[in-house]
Amino acid sequence: MKKYALVTGGSRGIGRAVCVKLAAMDYNVIINYRSQQEEAEKTLQLVRETGGDGEILCFDVSDRQETESVLELWNDRHPDDYIEVLVNNAGICRDNLMLWMVPEEWDEVIDISLHGFYNVTRPLLKKMLLRKYGRIINISSVSGLKGMPGQINYSAAKGAIIAATRTLSREIARKGVTVNAVAPGFIQTDMLENMEKEAVKAQIPAGRIGEANEVAELVGFLASKQASYITGAIIPVDGGLTA
Ligand code: NDP
């Protein structure tokens, strides 16, 4: 029987590296994206290069109705299957100091990172519980663990994801479904495009910015059967930033 994993925001950056990792673990990877189809197709190509396979599913995780109907359609097309691994990775940042932060910046980040987690996870949860096996991995951030000036919207959303991870893990631990969060530090992706790299590196004990595949390796382990007794954990991948 085919095994399915859904990676939200799988078209670029950390999500892409996670898709490739899960494909190498024999998962049929469902690559979600919102706007950049070409990038999603490139991820699918990389997935196929591992010898695995996948499909692309376009929806905006912050749009509850769209998310539910796309996932329902997927279920209709796969009546005997279920998505056993969910990686809630889609996210954006809209940085600003609290004093200058406009409502749109606050809302968009909360809508995608926090409401997106609810919108995607809830419809998939039932089948995981019925099958008594599942892996939910939420991509949080160091910004959710400590205060990051200029990122109050992002810190609030990522901190809430940490709290939600802990709570959900306890709600369903007896059902064979684990829920964990990964908290990356600074990882080389489009998200860091406008950041002053040298100043950032000076703050990191490892002295360098991380690579997307260094996050994906941990996600892969948490998604594996071997990680069966790890749940409710919040694990930084940050070169020592929060040590
Ligand atoms: P990128 O900007 O490289 O990629 C973001 C991905 O999310 C894209 O695939 C994008 O799709 C998708 N996405 C954005 N909004 C939506 C939406 N509404 N619905 C569906 N998909 C969406 O980011 P990263 O790879 O750097 O970040 C991935 C995750 O890791 C995020 O949650 C981020 O907060 C977190 N993180 C990143 C860090 C870093 O240093 N890079 C540090 C800590 C945490 P599309 O291409 O269609 O826009």
Side-chain angles (χ1 to χ4, degrees), residues 9-15 32-36 59-62 89-92 112 139-141 154 158 184-187 189-192:
S11 55
R12 295 185 281 126
I14 293 171
N32 158 257
Y33 76 104
R34 172 176 62 162
S35 54
Q36 300 196 29
F59 60 90
D60 178 344
V61 298
S62 68
N89 165 78
I92 58 158
I112 294 175
I139 307 300
S140 177
S141 168
Y154 189 76
K158 295 300 190 180
F186 294 99
I187 307 297
T189 69
D190 294 345
M191 199 173 263
L192 291 201

Side-chain angles (χ1 to χ4, degrees), residues 57-59 65-75:
L57 223 50
C58 178
F59 60 90
Q65 232 178 342
E66 184 187 27
T67 301
E68 280 182 1
S69 65
V70 170
L71 292 176
E72 216 172 281
L73 270 177
W74 189 91
N75 264 328

Side-chain angles (χ1 to χ4, degrees), residues 99-166:
L99 188 61
W100 312 117
M101 184 164 289
V102 296
E104 292 74 22
E105 290 167 336
W106 176 268
D107 290 344
E108 204 185 347
V109 169
I110 302 286
D111 280 349
I112 294 175
S113 284
L114 182 55
H115 298 159
F117 157 78
Y118 171 82
N119 296 342
V120 180
T121 307
R122 207 198 55 85
L124 300 184
L125 203 51
K126 197 171 167 185
K127 277 200 172 175
M128 286 187 193
L129 298 175
L130 284 172
R131 304 281 185 120
K132 295 192 167 53
Y133 185 85
R135 297 281 184 263
I136 299 171
I137 298 130
N138 300 318
I139 307 300
S140 177
S141 168
V142 158
S143 295
L145 289 167
K146 56 185 267 184
M148 287 283 188
Q151 289 203 311
I152 194 161
N153 49 356
Y154 189 76
S155 289
K158 295 300 190 180
I161 287 297
I162 287 172
T165 298
R166 291 197 170 114

Side-chain angles (χ1 to χ4, degrees), residues 1-241:
M1 208 164 107
K2 278 187 185 173
K3 302 186 300 175
Y4 290 90
L6 167 62
V7 182
T8 68
S11 55
R12 295 185 281 126
I14 293 171
R16 169 179 285 164
V18 169
C19 287
V20 172
K21 176 69 192 174
L22 294 176
M25 291 166 64
D26 289 334
Y27 275 99
N28 236 269
V29 185
I30 306 165
I31 304 157
N32 158 257
Y33 76 104
R34 172 176 62 162
S35 54
Q36 300 196 29
Q37 184 170 345
E38 270 181 27
E39 296 295 321
E41 276 164 10
K42 202 166 152 196
T43 301
L44 181 57
Q45 191 187 324
L46 292 169
V47 157
R48 288 186 172 143
E49 281 169 17
T50 68
D53 204 2
E55 64 185 292
I56 295 170
L57 223 50
C58 178
F59 60 90
D60 178 344
V61 298
S62 68
D63 183 331
R64 188 163 300 152
Q65 232 178 342
E66 184 187 27
T67 301
E68 280 182 1
S69 65
V70 170
L71 292 176
E72 216 172 281
L73 270 177
W74 189 91
N75 264 328
D76 293 345
R77 281 191 283 119
H78 298 83
D80 300 324
D81 301 314
Y82 83 112
I83 293 168
E84 66 174 49
V85 172
L86 165 62
V87 184
N88 284 304
N89 165 78
I92 58 158
C93 51
R94 294 284 180 268
D95 295 355
N96 213 340
L97 293 172
M98 178 71 166
L99 188 61
W100 312 117
M101 184 164 289
V102 296
E104 292 74 22
E105 290 167 336
W106 176 268
D107 290 344
E108 204 185 347
V109 169
I110 302 286
D111 280 349
I112 294 175
S113 284
L114 182 55
H115 298 159
F117 157 78
Y118 171 82
N119 296 342
V120 180
T121 307
R122 207 198 55 85
L124 300 184
L125 203 51
K126 197 171 167 185
K127 277 200 172 175
M128 286 187 193
L129 298 175
L130 284 172
R131 304 281 185 120
K132 295 192 167 53
Y133 185 85
R135 297 281 184 263
I136 299 171
I137 298 130
N138 300 318
I139 307 300
S140 177
S141 168
V142 158
S143 295
L145 289 167
K146 56 185 267 184
M148 287 283 188
Q151 289 203 311
I152 194 161
N153 49 356
Y154 189 76
S155 289
K158 295 300 190 180
I161 287 297
I162 287 172
T165 298
R166 291 197 170 114
T167 301
L168 184 59
S169 73
R170 298 189 67 156
E171 285 183 2
I172 61 180
R174 285 171 191 267
K175 301 285 185 190
V177 181
T178 66
V179 190
N180 292 290
V182 172
F186 294 99
I187 307 297
Q188 191 54 59
T189 69
D190 294 345
M191 199 173 263
L192 291 201
E193 216 170 36
N194 301 320
M195 211 165 266
E196 180 37 69
K197 302 277 164 28
E198 290 312 309
V200 164
K201 278 187 209 165
Q203 302 171 37
I204 306 170
R208 66 176 178 86
I209 287 169
E211 300 293 330
N213 69 301
E214 294 178 298
V215 180
E217 286 298 325
L218 174 61
V219 175
F221 179 67
L222 292 172
S224 72
K225 286 215 160 69
Q226 288 78 359
S228 50
Y229 203 54
I230 304 175
T231 195
I234 316 300
I235 309 178
V237 181
D238 65 1
L241 198 59

